[in-house]
Amino acid sequence: EPEVTQTPSHQVTQMGQEVILRCVPISNHLYFYWYRQILGQKVEFLVSFYNNEISEKSEIFDDQFSVERPDGSNFTLKIRSTKLEDSAMYFCASSVWLAGVGELFFGEGSRLTVL
Amino acid sequence: EDQVTQSPEALRLQEGESSSLNCSYTVSGLRGLFWYRQDPGKGPEFLFTLYSAGEEKEKERLKATLTKKESFLHITAPKPEDSATYLCAVHGGTDKLIFGTGTRLQVFP
């Protein structure tokens, strides 16, 4: 069964360092998302991406965050200068249609620990 | 503001003891309500999407129903492997899903 894959599964970094989280969405999907989940809290929307541009972003997704689809398969989330409060599980997701019209599939997540 | 509230926060069941999880929502124009299962340290695993009041979907021991204000996830004769956190999320008029805090289900043999 096709799945969303994410790397790394766990990354530890020092505050102020840049981090890139990588995702390979399901191959025929057109919409891509990043969500995050701070330990013990809700899953929160960060950004959606369609047709090589951001279609929506949340208040969390400030200038420190960026997304890119550098080739036909990868989808990346970059955090330019990490803060302690960026420590969370980051989930990539993809769907054939815009979320809500069909199924949204999540990857296993990348755990980011900022020290 | 779109909002999702799940109850109870935690539920302990004996194997075979059926029960229901509740998801109450307020959203301006529901375009879909989602149920996911999440195991510790893992990503949400898609279970169901419901689109309109009165709709029902089933998968093995799980059945999801939807009204205009809430959704229920019914678990019939649960097994220990059904132990997980069950997440409800809604899609309103934007790209994003709004998630609830989840119900942590433990099923004991």
Side-chain angles (χ1 to χ4, degrees):
Chain A
E1 187 175 318
E3 58 182 19
V4 176
T5 56
Q6 292 185 241
T7 55
S9 56
H10 188 195
Q11 180 152 0
V12 181
T13 190
Q14 294 291 324
M15 192 168 56
Q17 294 297 302
E18 177 182 284
V19 161
I20 297 176
L21 305 178
R22 292 182 168 80
C23 168
V24 179
I26 295 173
S27 61
N28 64 331
H29 286 190
L30 301 176
Y31 294 83
F32 314 113
Y33 312 84
W34 285 99
Y35 284 76
R36 79 172 187 189
Q37 187 175 32
I38 295 171
L39 189 64
Q41 296 186 24
K42 294 182 184 185
V43 176
E44 302 174 286
F45 171 80
L46 291 179
V47 66
S48 58
F49 191 87
Y50 170 69
N51 202 25
N52 282 318
E53 61 182 25
I54 290 173
S55 52
E56 186 177 346
K57 59 184 180 180
S58 72
E59 293 173 354
I60 303 167
F61 194 90
D62 62 21
D63 292 343
Q64 293 301 312
F65 290 86
S66 62
V67 289
E68 198 176 39
R69 188 156 161 83
D71 53 43
S73 58
N74 290 285
F75 180 49
T76 62
L77 174 69
K78 182 193 288 187
I79 309 174
R80 268 182 263 280
S81 177
T82 50
K83 305 178 195 134
L84 295 176
E85 54 264 38
D86 294 328
S87 294
M89 195 77 153
Y90 287 81
F91 295 110
C92 175
S94 70
S95 62
V96 176
W97 307 104
L98 183 62
V101 184
E103 302 167 356
L104 184 64
F105 292 95
F106 285 81
E108 291 288 87
S110 292
R111 180 172 299 285
L112 176 64
T113 302
V114 182
L115 302 175
Chain B
E1 184 183 335
D2 298 346
Q3 213 166 22
V4 175
T5 303
Q6 292 188 246
S7 62
E9 287 186 14
L11 183 61
R12 293 163 58 99
L13 298 174
Q14 205 70 35
E15 184 172 1
E17 180 187 1
S18 302
S19 189
S20 297
L21 282 54
N22 177 263
C23 171
S24 299
Y25 64 90
T26 51
V27 64
S28 50
L30 180 71
R31 298 176 66 177
L33 184 140
F34 294 70
W35 282 99
Y36 286 88
R37 170 191 170 126
Q38 186 176 31
D39 292 302
K42 303 288 186 183
E45 176 189 342
F46 174 80
L47 294 174
F48 304 108
T49 311
L50 302 167
Y51 295 104
S52 56
E55 189 175 359
E56 298 182 353
K57 287 194 177 170
E58 284 188 70
K59 180 180 179 179
E60 295 180 0
R61 295 177 291 283
L62 300 177
K63 178 180 175 181
T65 61
L66 181 65
T67 71
K68 287 187 177 177
K69 292 186 178 180
E70 57 191 351
S71 176
F72 291 94
L73 185 66
H74 307 279
I75 303 177
T76 303
K79 299 182 177 182
E81 53 262 41
D82 295 323
S83 296
T85 296
Y86 290 85
L87 303 175
C88 174
V90 296
H91 177 226
T94 66
D95 291 2
K96 63 187 177 188
L97 295 187
I98 306 293
F99 280 84
T101 50
T103 293
R104 190 173 65 256
L105 174 67
Q106 292 178 292
V107 181
F108 295 92

